[in-house]
Amino acid sequence: MRLLIIIVIMGIFTMGHAPWGQHHVYRQIHMLILCDKKDVGSFEHTKNLVAFFNDYLPEAKARVARAPHEERIIALLQTNQIPLALISYKHLKKITNKDKNIYDFFSKETRVLFFFSEAVLISNNTFPIEKSAKIVATLMKGSKKRIYRNLEYY
């Protein structure tokens, strides 16, 4: 009887949490684009970018991922959990100026995929070149329109 109670209690606790494997699968299936909650306007820009990708590159299954602060963005990029981020120029300047380690991370461990009028799309250095090229080619196609759902190209 005691064993049954212990098994039931353990079952309740373990069922409440998604296993790591499911997060990993979700991140493999979807192209997540990270933005910072503290970066004013970045959520709207990222949603517009996701809408663009869902129209022009639907197989990517793009989704927005919001980080609570820049430290979390760096952690997700460093660990390759989410390799893409859209950051406004103003916010990027602010966070890189306050800490040399953050500056070094962005200058050495990331690469620019595309410049927009108010933000930059970056990836970590481990993001596959083939995927980067596909993203850039798709964005170049869209840039001929100059503006897409308030997403303004340079």
Side-chain angles (χ1 to χ4, degrees):
M1 183 66 171
R2 244 183 187 175
L3 183 59
L4 181 63
I5 291 171
I6 290 172
I7 290 172
V8 169
I9 289 172
M10 287 181 68
I12 290 170
F13 285 115
T14 59
M15 290 174 73
H17 301 286
W20 163 251
Q22 292 305 311
H23 290 287
H24 189 67
V25 169
Y26 185 82
R27 290 174 179 158
Q28 285 181 334
I29 293 172
H30 298 91
M31 180 174 73
L32 298 177
I33 303 171
L34 197 55
C35 66
D36 187 343
K37 285 183 179 181
K38 293 181 180 179
D39 189 1
V40 178
S42 74
F43 182 57
E44 287 302 316
H45 286 297
T46 308
K47 284 194 314 186
N48 291 332
L49 183 58
V50 164
F52 172 83
F53 281 125
N54 288 335
D55 286 347
Y56 287 89
L57 193 62
E59 65 271 17
K61 298 180 183 174
R63 302 285 186 272
V64 176
R66 292 180 78 189
H69 44 71
E70 60 267 6
E71 290 84 9
R72 186 70 178 137
I73 286 181
I74 293 167
L76 291 167
L77 287 169
Q78 280 178 328
T79 59
N80 203 31
Q81 292 181 56
I82 302 178
L84 298 170
L86 185 70
I87 304 174
S88 72
Y89 300 118
K90 188 177 179 180
H91 193 64
L92 188 60
K93 183 177 180 180
K94 182 181 133 194
I95 65 177
T96 55
N97 282 342
K98 77 177 185 180
D99 187 340
K100 183 173 177 3
N101 291 332
I102 293 174
Y103 176 84
D104 287 344
F105 170 76
F106 279 104
S107 63
K108 296 175 184 172
E109 303 297 323
T110 64
R111 62 177 172 251
V112 172
L113 295 183
F114 205 81
F115 293 102
F116 295 95
S117 62
E118 296 179 22
V120 60
L121 179 64
I122 63 169
S123 73
N124 62 20
N125 286 338
T126 59
F127 191 66
I129 294 295
E130 306 79 39
K131 289 182 179 181
S132 297
K134 198 169 196 175
I135 288 170
V136 170
T138 304
L139 287 168
M140 291 300 288
K141 259 192 255 177
S143 69
K144 292 179 179 131
K145 292 186 174 193
R146 188 82 174 110
I147 295 177
Y148 179 86
R149 293 190 185 185
N150 296 322
L151 187 66
E152 191 173 336
Y153 292 88
Y154 238 167

